[in-house]
């Protein structure tokens, strides 16, 4: 640690990675609960265990005016009538608190002797805690008590930090006050030794408090203004570090990893374009293909995110990109999150490239072992050009001698680890194109994908009519059925989707089966065919049901969200979503995207119960009002917060302690630009004033494709 301190402002900084048990007043027992209950293992963890709110000691309530709804009050008065009461084996201490307006009961169940001895009659105290109604009287259990004479201290630090804690912590003396005490000990111990992490010019320009001052004030604010400044400084640091990590790893990738260079556009690409392309590409598709083309010949490994609303034609862009790989002597693969989707891609792509001499194969988990083995050995022998599949593609024994490009469809379904595993498939990492139909709001993209290049297809193929979205309730079910019959009479097909939040949830599956039965009764054979699809069916049954729907033999598909992702049946014009209030906005939008894929007017019908919560209602209204995926994503972010955006939950990338990606958008932008400027002129962070930043990235950034084994 102490080797490179030359440029460090404070050479004797405290090692914040020190185990928390070494802090005075902690010790092994408390350290154990801190770690287990609150995730606090080191000094640093404790410093970052910020209060979730503060009580202002200078705002004193009167007993007569207590609002038992408020969780924490500060009272000022005297304590009398102390009594130790024994009932059976339990002992408690009670006392009466009195101020000029009334009285209230205090009660303790622990630490009785000590409390009884330390409280004095006729002394003014500040008594703080949560008030509850016990029968007809107000009561406060285990109040925090301070002598009101300590006014000086109270005035210097009017705010009491309130920390999250747990019952097990409290049992070890780590209640609010106990935690505040050890934080105070640590801050005292660390005085003058907490290293600054932000470059001084940035700190000056943004008028940011020093790190140590900020940490002191976030725990024990001197004033409201100090608290605001401390919070601002620490938020900035949080966002800045995140940008630094992502942008640094991106610039390292661009600068250091050569990537394969795809020099030529060749026979495969050109012949496909001239002879096979079934339609004119949209302007947006052409632009994105150019962007990709520039990446591929640049001599840097491509890591590009392709965003495009459902139905915008991402698959075709992927196919052109794969053809470029083939033209340069490489293999390509395409990974999809479900078997249905992998099958569909396989069928489309082998059909579209027929006669061009391209060897396309499919590898999924449900193939027979002997088939898998055969495909793997052909792949290893270089006898397959394009391999399409599911997670099966990333198994270790899938060996590509010449993998030049990996396409990942509907990337939000895959974890970061799985993506990284694909990168590791070759000594020279393949170019990576990830595609998603879940639009990422701008602020999120700025943060989450700071290490990816982004392309957007913002144009639908011509002739698409906007889908009409209608909200309906159970009372209108008969009308719904007759509407479905009408559409089917016109030769169209219908999806009916049920939420299956939890695949193993019996009640969800029952909803689906009941729904299926009811549809069967209303749409009987031989006039109507109804397919059913859910995740727990064996793969060949799924294929069977899907095939009958795709061929048009069955007009209705009753299913769970397994059809959400990417399924393409252009003749389907009606999407009925049952219990629509149980779906998130992005998911509703994905589902809706299954229709409106042909030239016909399509409809999405959102079935809900009668009385909806305010946010459910707003979600449904948003869906009825717009077809624009980006607007929907923004609304989703606003209504549910980033943690709930599909696929981001697992990512762990959005767990900020202080920053809020929606409210702090200006700061997200500022930190992004600052980091960009720094890396533009000093990509390896070698300048002396970037020493702290280099230290940070050396501890946090791991270039993933080298690391994964
Ligand atoms: P997504 O972006 O949702 O993956 P797909 O790639 O499945 O969309 O494309 C949706 C449908 O639009 C497919 O049937 C595809 O053949 C068709 N399509 C794609 N590009 C065009 C285009 N430029 N003109 C007309 N139809 C197109
Ligand atoms: Mg798709």
């Amino acid at each position: 640690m102490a080797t490179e301190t030359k440029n460090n402002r404070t050479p004797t900084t405290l090692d914040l990675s020190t185990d928390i048990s070494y802090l005075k007043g902690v010790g092994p027992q408390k350290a154990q609960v801190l770690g287990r209950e609150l995730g606090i293992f080191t000094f640093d963890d404790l410093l970052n265990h910020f209060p979730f709110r503060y009580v202002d000691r200078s705002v004193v309530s009167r007993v007569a005016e207590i609002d038992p709804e408020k969780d924490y009050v500060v009272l000022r008065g005297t304590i009398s009538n102390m009594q130790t009461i024994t009932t059976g084996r339990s002992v408690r201490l009670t006392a009466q608190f009195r101020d000029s307006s009334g009285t209230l009961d205090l009660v303790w169940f622990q630490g009785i002797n000590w409390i009884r001895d330390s409280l004095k009659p006729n002394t003014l105290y500040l008594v703080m805690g949560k008030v509850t109604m016990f029968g007809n009287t107000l009561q406060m259990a285990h109040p925090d008590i301070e002598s009101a004479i300590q006014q000086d201290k109270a005035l210097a630090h009017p705010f009491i930090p309130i920390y999250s804690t747990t019952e097990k912590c409290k049992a070890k003396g780590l209640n609010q006050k106990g935690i505040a005490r050890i934080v105070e000990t640590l801050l005292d111990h660390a005085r003058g030794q907490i290293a600054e992490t932000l470059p001084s010019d940035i700190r000056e320009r943004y008028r940011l408090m020093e790190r140590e001052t900020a940490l002191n004030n976030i725990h024990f604010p001197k004033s409201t203004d100090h608290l605001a400044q401390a919070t601002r400084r620490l938020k900035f640091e949080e966002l800045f570090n995140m940008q630094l990590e992502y942008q640094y790893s991106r610039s390292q990738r661009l600068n250091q990893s050569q990537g394969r260079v795809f020099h030529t556009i060749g026979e495969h690409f050109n012949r496909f374009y001239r002879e096979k392309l079934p339609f004119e590409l949209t302007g947006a598709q052409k632009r994105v293909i150019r962007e990709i083309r520039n990446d591929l010949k640049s001599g840097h490994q491509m890591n590009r995110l392709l965003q495009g609303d459902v139905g915008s034609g991402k698959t075709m862009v992927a196919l052109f990109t794969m053809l470029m790989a083939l033209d340069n002597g490489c293999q390509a693969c395409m990974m999809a999150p479900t078997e249905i989707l992998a099958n569909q891609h396989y069928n489309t792509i082998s059909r579209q490239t027929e006669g061009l001499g391209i060897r396309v194969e499919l590898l999924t988990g449900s193939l027979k072992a002997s088939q898998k083995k055969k495909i793997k050995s052909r792949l290893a022998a270089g006898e397959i050009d394009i391999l399409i599949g599911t997670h099966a593609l990333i198994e270790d024994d899938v060996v590509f001698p010449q993998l030049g490009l990996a396409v990942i469809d509907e990337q939000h379904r895959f974890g970061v680890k799985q993506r990284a595993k694909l990168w590791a498939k070759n000594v020279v990492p393949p170019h990576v194109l990830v595609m998603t139909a879940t639009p990422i709001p701008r602020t999120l993209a700025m943060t989450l994908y700071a290490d990816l290049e982004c392309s957007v297809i913002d144009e639908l193929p011509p002739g698409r009519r906007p889908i009409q979205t209608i909200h309906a309730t159970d009372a209108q079910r008969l009308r719904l059925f007759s509407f479905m019959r009408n559409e089917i009479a016109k030769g169209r097909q219908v999806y009916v989707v049920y939420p299956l939040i939890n695949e193993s949830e019996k009640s969800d599956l029952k909803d689906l089966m009941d729904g299926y039965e009811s549809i069967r009764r209303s749409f009987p054979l031989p006039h109507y065919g109804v397919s059913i699809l859910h995740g727990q069916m064996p793969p060949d049954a799924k294929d069977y049901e899907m095939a009958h729907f795709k061929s048009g033999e069955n007009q209705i598909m009753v299913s769970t969200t397994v059809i959400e992702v990417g399924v393409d049946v252009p003749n389907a014009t009606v999407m009925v979503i049952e219990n629509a209030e149980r779906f998130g906005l992005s998911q509703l939008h994905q589902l809706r995207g299954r229709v409106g894929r042909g030239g016909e007017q399509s409809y999405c019908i959102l079935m809900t119960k009668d009385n909806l919560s305010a946010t459910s209602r707003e979600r449904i209204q948003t869906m009825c009002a717009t077809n624009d995926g980006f607007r929907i994503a923004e609304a989703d972010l606003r209504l549910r917060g980033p943690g709930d955006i599909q696929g981001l939950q697992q990512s762990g990338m959005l767990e900020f302690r202080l920053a809020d990606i929606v409210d702090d958008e200006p700061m997200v932008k500022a930190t992004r630009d600052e980091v960009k400027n720094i890396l533009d002129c000093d990509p390896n962070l070698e300048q002396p004033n970037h020493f702290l930043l280099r230290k940070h990235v050396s501890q946090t950034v791991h270039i993933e494709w080298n690391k994964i084994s």
Side-chain angles (χ1 to χ4, degrees), residues 79 106 108 115 119 125-128 143-147 177:
I79 296 171
L106 303 178
W108 293 264
I115 290 159
L119 292 179
Y125 287 107
L126 285 185
V127 172
M128 297 163 279
D144 291 327
I145 297 187
E146 274 177 25
S147 151
K177 220 173 168 182

Side-chain angles (χ1 to χ4, degrees), residues 472-478 578 607-610:
T473 59
D474 249 339
Q476 290 140 298
R477 193 164 292 276
L478 287 180
E578 296 286 349
M607 300 297 290
T608 72
K609 57 182 183 185
D610 267 326

Side-chain angles (χ1 to χ4, degrees), residues 311 314-315 341 344-345 409-410 435 437 565-567 594 597:
K314 295 184 291 295
T315 319
L341 197 51
Q344 180 183 290
H345 285 323
D409 194 20
E410 305 299 345
M435 310 199 291
V565 169
V567 170
R594 297 306 111 222
R597 310 196 128 222

Side-chain angles (χ1 to χ4, degrees), residues 44-55 157 159-163 180 183-184 187 194 209-238 657-659:
D44 201 36
D45 294 338
L46 182 61
L47 282 181
N48 283 304
H49 187 64
F50 300 146
F52 63 91
R53 78 195 165 79
Y54 304 83
V55 171
H157 287 284
F159 295 101
I160 303 166
I162 307 291
Y163 294 97
V183 172
E184 200 174 3
L187 286 168
I194 296 179
M209 235 179 209
E210 279 192 16
R211 182 171 160 78
E212 183 167 324
T213 319
L215 285 171
N216 272 289
N217 275 286
I218 194 108
H219 288 287
F220 302 104
K222 279 208 179 99
S223 67
T224 324
D225 184 52
H226 279 80
L227 176 60
Q229 292 304 325
T231 309
R232 191 168 150 270
R233 142 80 212 212
L234 293 166
K235 267 185 188 175
F236 192 98
E237 173 180 320
E238 203 168 34
R657 285 175 212 273
L658 294 170

Side-chain angles (χ1 to χ4, degrees), residues 314-382:
K314 295 184 291 295
T315 319
M316 190 46 79
V317 172
L319 178 54
F320 272 110
T321 312
M322 293 195 281
L323 294 174
M324 290 184 219
L326 268 47
D327 278 340
N328 288 274
C330 287
Q331 296 170 300
C333 72
M334 183 162 175
M335 181 160 80
T338 63
E339 298 225 347
I340 291 177
L341 197 51
N343 265 306
Q344 180 183 290
H345 285 323
Y346 170 73
N347 290 330
T348 319
I349 288 174
S350 25
R351 185 165 31 81
Q352 286 173 334
T353 58
E354 218 174 340
L356 296 179
I358 297 171
R359 296 160 298 183
V360 185
E361 287 296 339
L362 175 70
L363 180 66
T364 61
S366 65
L367 290 187
K368 287 201 203 78
S370 59
Q371 291 171 304
K372 284 189 204 161
K373 210 172 143 204
K374 198 168 148 207
I375 287 183
K376 286 173 193 171
S377 71
R378 285 185 54 212
L379 184 71

Side-chain angles (χ1 to χ4, degrees), residues 34 74 133 141 195 321 430 463 573 581 642 660 691:
L34 280 172
V74 181
M133 285 299 284
T321 312
T573 56
E581 72 275 10
D660 179 316
F691 166 77

